[in-house]
Amino acid sequence: MADFVHPQFLVETDWLEQNLSNPDIVVLDCTVHLRTQANGPYTVVPGREDYEKGHIKGAQFCDVSRDVSDTSQKLNFMLPKADEFAASLRRFGISNKTRVVTYSTANPWWATRVWWLLRAFGHDNAAVLNGGWQKWAKEARLSETGPSPTRSAGTFSVQFTR
């Protein structure tokens, strides 16, 4: 990644696998599917089913449409209120010094969406997994099935420094 202007915003699969046991790293599967309907717009389908069939060992499922979006709005995926976003991150075990790695199975934009939200709320210690789940699975790296692991609550607080 020497040619990438900001290599700190991507992590490679080998680095992540070597660091999965680090308690200061939280991995979030941010998969969402947009299913088109014959009579109109799309339906939002969280990727929890995909996640439970297989995910990066120790990763947690982040429902982008609910966990990190303002569900009181008519439109999907609206920016959440700062206190609601912080509460969601704390539930994932995230604190202000936690390294957060995001990925998705279908489209990279969901992982980058959560990465952007983290940065928008002042958490710069975040990166997207280069190649996402597709690359991870192709390389036969550590994975597991089933629900999200339980983590102790984090202490994340929003930091508006810009």
Side-chain angles (χ1 to χ4, degrees):
M1 282 194 294
D3 295 355
F4 190 59
V5 176
H6 294 287
Q8 71 273 24
F9 298 149
L10 285 177
V11 297
E12 296 299 327
T13 52
D14 58 342
W15 179 90
L16 182 57
E17 189 171 50
Q18 291 170 13
N19 288 280
L20 281 178
S21 62
N22 184 333
D24 295 326
I25 296 174
V26 170
V27 181
L28 299 177
D29 180 327
C30 307
T31 301
V32 176
H33 300 287
L34 301 181
R35 305 272 193 241
T36 55
Q37 297 178 344
N39 62 345
Y42 60 86
T43 301
V44 175
V45 180
R48 186 175 301 278
E49 187 175 320
D50 291 346
Y51 169 86
E52 291 186 359
K53 287 179 184 175
H55 56 268
I56 293 172
K57 185 174 173 58
Q60 298 178 79
F61 181 72
C62 176
D63 183 341
V64 179
S65 65
R66 292 185 185 94
D67 293 333
V68 292
S69 293
D70 185 349
T71 58
S72 70
Q73 300 297 314
K74 199 173 199 176
L75 298 172
N76 294 312
F77 309 110
M78 300 306 292
L79 188 71
K81 294 174 182 65
D83 59 335
E84 292 171 357
F85 183 77
S88 285
L89 292 191
R90 288 191 295 268
R91 284 192 298 275
F92 288 122
I94 297 171
S95 298
N96 290 76
K97 294 187 187 245
T98 303
R99 176 73 163 158
V100 180
V101 177
T102 63
Y103 76 94
S104 50
T105 62
N107 294 298
W109 63 69
W110 300 113
T112 58
R113 166 74 181 181
V114 175
W115 171 86
W116 173 80
L117 285 166
L118 286 158
R119 293 187 51 79
F121 286 106
H123 190 75
D124 292 338
N125 195 9
V128 175
L129 179 62
N130 192 13
W133 172 251
Q134 293 89 341
K135 183 177 179 194
W136 187 271
K138 182 179 179 183
E139 295 172 350
R141 297 198 181 267
L142 294 172
S143 61
E144 60 189 2
T145 60
S148 288
T150 304
R151 289 185 65 110
S152 299
T155 59
F156 180 81
S157 61
V158 171
Q159 308 280 322
F160 290 116
T161 57
R162 293 172 177 79

